[in-house]
């Protein structure tokens, strides 16, 4: 699985959009980009994933660059409950493929 | 659906003791996983299973054993507890290993301390 690089921490004002970047320059054609978050020692929570196209669900939007070497997770209206560690994970499309968690980005949403 | 449940929530062991961490899922998922998370670190895969009767090692399998006799249950066994096994243990499951159906759902975790 390709390695990912994320900033260790970010701040965001409540109600504003939070844009979390991720670099995955060695990504292969069959590798998906997944985003999970972990709120203070709880189990990780799935947010969104994508392969090539931009994706949106009720939680967030995922923007993947055309060359697929980087992506951005967008939380459109951040709330205090969005304060968490956000993990960007690149995962191969193979049987039993693991999720390789890096150190993620600590997002702090401020009132 | 309860999703993925884990017991116990907390446990303190003495060095050399054994215990089993329980994990059950009610989503009829084929794939199940065990991860550990040390303080301030990301999760590391211990073992995983692609179906009943089939298990495989992850990144950090030493000191652990697993079995998968049913689709629902995937217990993790620590035979001789060591302080290095002090960690939070997460169980996860997914319908398959690929694409959208490979999305993993996590339990609440078991916090284990070995003294």
């Amino acid at each position: 699985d390709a390695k990912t690089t994320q900033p260790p921490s970010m701040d965001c004002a409540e109600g504003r959009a939070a844009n979390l970047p991720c670099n995955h320059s060695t990504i292969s054609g069959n590798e998906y980009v997944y985003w999970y978050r972990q709120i203070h020692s709880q189990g990780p929570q799935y947010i969104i994933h994508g392969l090539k196209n931009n994706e949106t669900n009720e939680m967030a939007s995922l923007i993947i660059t055309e060359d697929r070497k980087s992506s951005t997770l967008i939380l459109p209206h951040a709330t205090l409950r969005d304060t968490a560690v956000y993990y960007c994970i690149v995962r191969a499309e193979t049987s039993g493929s693991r999720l390789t968690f890096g150190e993620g980005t600590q997002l702090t949403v401020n009132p | 659906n309860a999703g993925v449940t884990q017991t116990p929530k907390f446990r303190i062991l003495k060095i050399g003791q054994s215990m089993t961490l329980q994990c059950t899922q009610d989503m009829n998922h084929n794939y199940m996983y065990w991860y550990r998370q040390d303080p301030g670190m990301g999760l590391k895969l211990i073992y995983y299973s692609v179906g009943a009767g089939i298990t495989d090692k992850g990144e950090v399998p030493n000191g652990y054993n697993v079995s998968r006799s049913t689709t629902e249950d995937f217990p993790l066994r620590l035979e001789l507890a060591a302080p290095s096994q002090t960690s939070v243990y997460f169980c996860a499951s997914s319908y398959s290993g690929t694409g959208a159906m490979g999305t993993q759902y996590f339990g609440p975790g078991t916090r284990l301390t070995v003294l």
Side-chain angles (χ1 to χ4, degrees):
Chain A
D1 295 337
K3 182 177 171 58
T4 62
T5 304
Q6 299 177 253
S9 64
M10 293 183 66
D11 287 284
C12 177
E14 190 177 19
R16 303 298 293 269
N19 298 288
L20 291 90
C22 179
N23 285 319
H24 31 79
S25 59
T26 60
I27 193 170
S28 299
N30 66 345
E31 289 180 319
Y32 287 77
V33 179
Y34 281 79
W35 283 84
Y36 280 77
R37 72 180 182 184
Q38 189 173 25
I39 299 173
H40 189 57
S41 299
Q42 296 178 21
Q45 178 188 23
Y46 166 79
I47 302 174
I48 199 167
H49 76 281
L51 183 62
K52 296 180 181 178
N53 299 322
N54 298 337
E55 302 287 345
T56 295
N57 63 19
E58 64 279 3
M59 288 183 68
S61 295
L62 174 60
I63 308 299
I64 302 174
T65 58
E66 193 169 339
D67 63 7
R68 301 186 71 238
K69 292 186 177 181
S70 66
S71 60
T72 301
L73 178 74
I74 301 172
L75 307 178
H77 303 288
T79 71
L80 299 179
R81 290 182 296 178
D82 292 322
T83 293
V85 178
Y86 287 77
Y87 295 100
C88 168
I89 299 165
V90 171
R91 182 164 180 254
E93 191 177 6
T94 55
S95 178
S97 181
R98 68 198 66 182
L99 290 174
T100 301
F101 286 79
E103 296 184 7
T105 296
Q106 171 66 59
L107 174 69
T108 301
V109 181
N110 300 305
Chain B
N1 283 355
V4 179
T5 57
Q6 294 182 239
T7 57
K9 286 187 171 58
F10 304 94
R11 184 73 185 268
I12 297 175
L13 282 182
K14 294 183 179 178
I15 293 172
Q17 285 186 320
S18 301
M19 77 164 293
T20 299
L21 283 68
Q22 301 292 345
C23 175
T24 300
Q25 54 90 10
D26 63 358
M27 297 176 282
N28 201 32
H29 284 171
N30 296 310
Y31 289 64
M32 296 187 74
Y33 312 79
W34 274 106
Y35 293 85
R36 60 176 285 174
Q37 185 174 32
D38 298 333
M41 307 294 286
L43 281 71
K44 293 187 185 299
L45 183 67
I46 306 171
Y47 271 97
Y48 67 98
S49 167
V50 302
I54 306 170
T55 64
D56 207 349
K57 296 178 181 178
E59 298 174 74
V60 290
N62 292 342
Y64 307 94
N65 281 300
V66 293
S67 59
R68 183 98 180 270
S69 56
T70 67
T71 299
E72 295 79 19
D73 301 305
F74 190 39
L76 177 71
R77 178 89 178 152
L78 283 70
E79 290 294 347
L80 293 170
S84 60
Q85 293 177 305
T86 293
S87 191
V88 181
Y89 292 84
F90 291 103
C91 179
S93 71
S94 64
Y95 184 75
S96 76
T98 64
M101 303 303 279
T103 299
Q104 293 183 22
Y105 296 91
F106 286 78
T110 294
R111 187 176 298 275
L112 176 67
T113 301
V114 181
L115 300 174

